[in-house]
Amino acid sequence: MIHFDNVTKTYPNQGRPALENVTLDIEKSEFVFLVGPSGSGKSTFLRLILKEERPTEGRIHVAGRDLARLTNWKVPHLRRRIGCVFQDFRLLPNKNVYQNIAFALEVIGKPRRFIRKVVPEVIDLVGLEGKRDRMPDELSGGEQQRVAMARAFVNRPTILLADEPTGNIDPATSIGIMKVLDRINRTGTTVVMATHDAAIVDSMRKRVIELEYGKVVRDQSRGVYGQAY
Amino acid sequence: MRAQFVLSEVWIGLRRNLTMTIALVVVVAISLSLLGTGLLFVKQVDNTRSYWQSRVQLSVYLCTSQAIDANCNGAVTTAEIDSIQQALKSLPEVISVTYLSQPQAVALFKQEFANSPTLVKYTSPSQIPSSFEIRLRNTQADAIPVTNSVDGLPGVAQVVDDASILNNFYKLLDGARTAVVIIAIFLLVAAILLVANTIRLSAFNRRRETSIMRLVGASNFYVQLPFLVEGMIAGFFGWLISAGLLVAVKALWLNGLQSYFPYGVTLTTTDLVEVIIIALIMGLLICGTTSFLTLRRYLRV
Ligand SMILES: Nc1ncnc2c1ncn2[C@@H]1O[C@H](COP(=O)(O)OP(=O)(O)OP(=O)(O)O)[C@@H](O)[C@H]1O
Ligand SMILES: [Mg+2]
């Protein structure tokens, strides 16, 4: 599903590469944790998958497409197959829960009938029944992250990327967030999650890829977080 | 394509920077009005020019009893009139010679200056000379040789080339026309800069929406469409106001100016509609292309 072949990424005017000679495969419906200290290149890895950044060297394939060959005007089609969740939720403050989720479908031109049908379904999936008319500032951080997950998942992507989704959320609420991600993963969606949360990684027992200074230093199925950062 | 959704996003965008939108509408309205006024003026000048083109001639004024010209010694005699006519007819540059007797000249004068009754009232018919009206083969080149050959013949008071009078008049009109067009161009440049700025501001205000749109895979066209429509709507309202102003300009100012132009040269409603349509195309084109080009620089893939 995601294939990195000897990928190096050096940002302009930066001495040390953010990612260096990374080669790895992530299969369909896998759940992968991306761990490592701050600045080790986790976010860079996720941005490369979205083609928000281009690799300096090496090849990347996502969902069967060679990203180097993907023209700019086809990038939106790639992104429709990838959902994204971030530490800072990125909700629209002037739209309610329903509208925030529907927005993702409206801007890719889905018919209104379809939107009316699927948005309530994902609202239920992420456990926000009865809160569809709330504005983001009337929700807790955990609830806001659920809205963001619903928005990322509403178009049934094949891949879900999560960059520290529990970074702004207390441990108890994080468990709920992880349950939702697990539920999404069980529908066959590949999930890649960058995190600093040792407790979560240790409790889930999924594949763990550890980065350090841009290099893969560990790739372990059913792994743990490792030493404390 | 979800038209309703795009329109609601556009509405949000327009409302969010309302002051800029209003400024934009006003500048577009003023620049299009000035441009339109310039075009109407150009049309008026062109109409006048073509009106005169077919009428331009050389007038040989004959002596009246009150003439004070050096060559005159009392009123022209019939014999003199005959010999002048012979002389004119023998010239190869002359197409036709028409004799305008004094009563005919008086009647023509009254008709042409019908707009200025005071002038007619205080001009004594005996001051108006009889004349030969001459059509030349080439109005530009032939005027001087023909003038030279009849000037000074007994009974000829003055030879007047219409074209030389009109040229001064044209110079004045052309100057006014150029001034209006230059001012309009400056304002159009201001309008373009303002459109670019408004769209940039709007893109900045909507950067959250835009970044989410890109993230969930909205096509570039869909991301840009609300801004494009926003610019076009501002352009459209500016045009609407300018259309009203142009109708007013024609009704109040150009129609008032009409009395200074020759009888029969008028701006028609078709002329006005044509100018208003040109203004619409200019307005939409400027707003559309400017917002599109601004966005291409602002919204990276
Ligand atoms: N846009 C950029 N331009 C220049 N350098 C960048 C850019 N983004 C990231 N970097 C650098 O690349 C390296 C990797 O950054 P990245 O954001 O991938 O780390 P991370 O593992 O996500 O860190 P964190 O855990 O703090 O989020 C860092 O040294 C960072 O300074
Ligand atoms: Mg990061």
Side-chain angles (χ1 to χ4, degrees):
Chain A
M1 186 59 45
I2 299 169
H3 176 69
F4 273 55
D5 185 11
N6 214 13
V7 171
T8 298
K9 171 68 187 177
T10 311
Y11 286 104
N13 310 318
Q14 214 87 66
R16 180 180 71 78
L19 278 184
E20 202 173 348
N21 300 325
V22 173
T23 300
L24 55 81
D25 270 306
I26 295 172
E27 299 305 328
K28 183 164 163 43
S29 39
E30 250 191 302
F31 194 118
V32 180
F33 284 116
L34 212 53
V35 302
S38 209
S40 57
K42 304 183 292 295
S43 300
T44 302
F45 182 84
L46 299 181
R47 278 204 293 274
L48 284 170
I49 295 173
L50 281 168
K51 210 178 174 189
E52 276 192 15
E53 296 287 350
R54 266 127 248 237
T56 318
E57 274 167 58
R59 286 207 168 284
I60 302 173
H61 287 78
V62 175
R65 320 292 305 253
D66 180 352
L67 294 196
R69 295 226 199 123
L70 202 65
T71 52
N72 271 347
W73 64 274
K74 277 204 166 167
V75 169
H77 292 273
L78 169 78
R79 293 190 186 154
R80 284 176 202 188
R81 307 189 57 185
I82 305 174
C84 282
V85 182
F86 300 93
Q87 185 173 1
D88 56 358
F89 319 136
R90 302 198 189 174
L91 300 178
L92 297 173
N94 53 349
K95 292 192 192 297
N96 66 26
V97 170
Y98 181 92
Q99 290 165 334
N100 260 288
I101 299 167
F103 186 79
L105 295 175
E106 277 161 342
V107 299
I108 57 173
K110 291 284 186 199
R112 193 153 18 155
R113 240 178 319 108
F114 176 77
I115 295 174
R116 283 221 197 91
K117 183 171 145 313
V118 298
V119 174
E121 284 173 13
V122 283
I123 290 179
D124 289 350
L125 180 90
V126 299
L128 284 175
E129 308 85 344
K131 295 190 173 147
R132 50 172 282 170
D133 294 329
R134 298 269 196 101
M135 301 304 278
D137 59 9
E138 299 166 348
L139 294 172
S140 72
E143 287 166 337
Q144 288 186 51
Q145 194 58 291
R146 284 168 194 259
V147 179
M149 283 191 290
R151 182 180 65 193
F153 188 63
V154 70
N155 196 31
R156 305 289 152 154
T158 44
I159 300 169
L160 189 98
L161 305 179
D163 197 351
E164 303 184 37
T166 58
N168 279 341
I169 292 165
D170 68 74
T173 315
S174 296
I175 294 169
I177 299 293
M178 291 317 296
K179 282 202 175 126
V180 174
L181 278 180
D182 192 42
R183 212 177 295 158
I184 286 173
N185 177 234
R186 279 173 205 282
T187 65
T189 306
T190 309
V191 177
V192 182
M193 169 171 163
T195 186
H196 287 286
D197 196 325
I200 285 174
V201 177
D202 291 345
S203 68
M204 298 273 290
R205 286 294 175 148
K206 300 283 189 186
R207 179 175 171 191
V208 175
I209 297 171
E210 184 177 343
L211 293 172
E212 218 177 291
Y213 297 116
K215 290 193 182 116
V216 177
V217 294
R218 176 164 63 110
D219 187 345
Q220 195 175 19
S221 53
R222 303 183 59 75
V224 293
Y225 190 70
Q227 77 266 38
Y229 293 113
Chain B
M1 195 53 49
R2 303 274 322 279
Q4 198 198 345
F5 171 73
V6 172
L7 288 180
S8 80
E9 289 297 307
V10 166
W11 175 238
I12 291 170
L14 284 174
R15 244 190 3 204
R16 235 187 258 175
N17 45 4
L18 192 62
T19 42
M20 275 305 265
T21 309
I22 291 173
L24 180 58
V25 168
V26 170
V27 169
V28 169
I30 293 175
S31 50
L32 288 182
S33 307
L34 268 179
L35 184 79
T37 307
L39 289 176
L40 285 176
F41 214 79
V42 170
K43 275 189 182 295
Q44 179 80 321
V45 172
D46 289 349
N47 285 353
T48 314
R49 208 187 287 264
S50 61
Y51 173 86
W52 281 113
Q53 211 69 59
S54 57
R55 286 169 181 76
V56 143
Q57 45 198 358
L58 207 62
S59 304
V60 176
Y61 293 105
L62 305 176
C63 297
T64 61
S65 55
Q66 299 172 355
I68 50 162
D69 300 84
N71 198 38
C72 286
N73 191 4
V76 67
T77 63
T78 325
E80 282 168 347
I81 292 175
D82 281 343
S83 70
I84 294 168
Q85 185 152 26
Q86 288 306 317
L88 284 170
K89 282 193 169 157
S90 68
L91 292 171
E93 297 96 335
V94 172
I95 299 175
S96 72
V97 178
T98 317
Y99 177 66
L100 202 62
S101 70
Q102 223 218 345
Q104 285 171 324
V106 171
L108 197 66
F109 174 81
K110 282 186 177 162
Q111 186 198 325
E112 285 206 335
F113 290 90
N115 285 327
S116 321
T118 333
L119 183 65
V120 174
K121 195 174 155 197
Y122 289 104
T123 307
S124 139
S126 63
Q127 288 175 315
I128 298 171
S130 58
S131 64
F132 283 109
E133 300 298 331
I134 301 160
R135 314 247 9 221
L136 298 170
R137 218 169 283 285
N138 180 337
T139 50
Q140 295 291 318
D142 297 341
I144 290 171
V146 173
T147 305
N148 288 341
S149 50
V150 286
D151 210 8
L153 289 181
V156 173
Q158 212 182 356
V159 183
V160 174
D161 178 10
D162 286 350
S164 69
I165 299 176
L166 283 176
N167 280 343
N168 287 331
F169 181 57
Y170 286 153
K171 262 184 213 150
L172 196 74
L173 285 184
D174 284 345
R177 175 181 79 167
T178 313
V180 175
V181 170
I182 286 177
I183 294 172
I185 288 173
F186 269 111
L187 268 155
L188 285 179
V189 171
I192 288 173
L193 295 179
L194 211 62
V195 174
N197 212 35
T198 310
I199 294 297
R200 236 199 306 273
L201 204 73
S202 179
F204 182 76
N205 279 339
R206 290 166 46 87
R207 63 195 183 286
R208 275 169 172 277
E209 280 88 346
T210 313
S211 74
I212 291 168
M213 279 167 123
R214 277 209 302 264
L215 197 68
V216 299
S219 62
N220 289 343
F221 178 70
Y222 223 103
V223 174
Q224 296 186 1
L225 195 63
F227 299 101
L228 210 68
V229 175
E230 220 174 292
M232 302 275 255
I233 284 180
F236 181 78
F237 277 105
W239 168 75
L240 216 58
I241 293 173
S242 82
L245 286 175
L246 282 174
V247 170
V249 160
K250 164 137 167 36
L252 300 177
W253 185 57
L254 286 178
N255 285 1
L257 217 61
Q258 204 75 64
S259 56
Y260 298 98
F261 284 91
Y263 177 81
V265 179
T266 48
L267 280 176
T268 59
T269 310
T270 323
D271 289 332
L272 183 66
V273 169
E274 208 178 295
V275 165
I276 288 177
I277 288 173
I278 291 175
L280 173 64
I281 295 168
M282 286 291 284
L284 291 185
L285 212 66
I286 285 173
C287 292
T289 38
T290 310
S291 22
F292 184 73
L293 292 179
T294 312
L295 284 173
R296 271 172 60 113
R297 293 186 51 196
Y298 204 78
L299 302 175
R300 200 173 54 91
V301 184

